[in-house]
Amino acid sequence: MSESSLRLVWVYPDLLSTYGDRGNALVVERRARQRGLGVTRIDVRSDQAVPTSGDIYLIGGGEDRPQRLAAERLRTDGGLVRAAENGAIIFSVCAGYQILGHEFINDLGEREAGLGLLDVRTVRGEGARCVGDVLADVNPQLGLPQLTGFENHQGVTELGAGVKPFASVKVGRGNGTGDGTEGAYRDTVFGTYLHGPVMARNPAVADMLLKLALDVNALPPADTTWYDALRSERIAATSQPA
């Protein structure tokens, strides 16, 4: 891939874009342009085919019925799976994260097959819903600063041997399993429960995706003044005792 041809695909904004998750696409696009990188953003609605030639794919959260519809259409379409097989970077949030796994519980109370891109399975939690701000330490292998965001989900996501936790929660419930894990990843496929949108609160995550897409270890510096102010405010607010 040349630096002038970065292809950013925002998957199913008509079904999976709750809590401002579209902001993730805006931030990745912005962070690329701050470095002088050309970006073509492709918003793929659920009645359109998912292109297989993208470099970075972003999937947001959604309510139960749109999540089921998205899973059905992504399975039928097959484009996202083929893109993953081609080595594309995929970053998913909440409902999108569950769809990338082997299965989740849909709005009909039935097991719904996912895409199997992450070795995770999601069931519906019996206890209180996971709601509120989250602080989490990202897996050290990823070299990212502390993660901030907020969660709102009933799912409990169990991680299999084929993935690693994306982060470990300090505040919040993450995957809802009680073991402190938050999200999951393998190679270039990532999942998290965090909204915020997560890229706006954590621009280093967006930069990580760009580095993976460009196959580089570092990017030119870019202004982080706005992001730093938001991060500091949210981390301070979350860290305060209730």
Side-chain angles (χ1 to χ4, degrees), residues 9-11 16 57-61 74 80 90-93 96 100:
V9 182
W10 176 226
V11 179
L16 301 174
Y57 292 76
L58 301 175
I59 313 173
L74 287 170
L80 189 61
I90 302 175
F91 192 92
S92 58
V93 174
L100 293 196

Side-chain angles (χ1 to χ4, degrees), residues 120-218:
V120 304
R121 287 178 168 80
T122 302
V123 298
R124 193 176 299 277
E126 299 297 330
R129 191 175 181 85
C130 299
V131 180
D133 278 317
V134 174
L135 287 180
D137 294 333
V138 180
N139 192 309
Q141 295 183 10
L142 296 175
L144 296 174
Q146 191 173 53
L147 197 66
T148 171
F150 75 86
E151 59 187 351
N152 186 352
H153 63 96
Q154 191 69 40
V156 173
T157 300
E158 296 279 355
L159 276 56
V163 295
K164 299 176 182 178
F166 183 54
S168 300
V169 293
K170 300 302 179 184
V171 177
R173 296 173 60 189
N175 287 323
T177 53
D179 61 1
T181 61
E182 201 298 304
Y185 79 99
R186 69 160 183 88
D187 299 327
T188 59
V189 181
F190 301 84
T192 180
Y193 272 114
L194 298 194
H195 303 280
V198 67
M199 302 289 184
R201 293 200 189 190
N202 306 277
V205 175
D207 290 351
M208 175 188 72
L209 303 186
L210 293 173
K211 287 187 285 187
L212 288 171
L214 296 169
D215 194 21
V216 298
N217 293 322

Side-chain angles (χ1 to χ4, degrees), residues 2 22 31 47-48 62 89 110 130 136 146 151 159 189 223:
S2 69
R22 177 175 174 268
R31 299 295 288 172
D47 60 350
Q48 298 173 316
I89 294 91
E110 302 168 344
C130 299
Q146 191 173 53
E151 59 187 351
L159 276 56
V189 181
D223 180 27

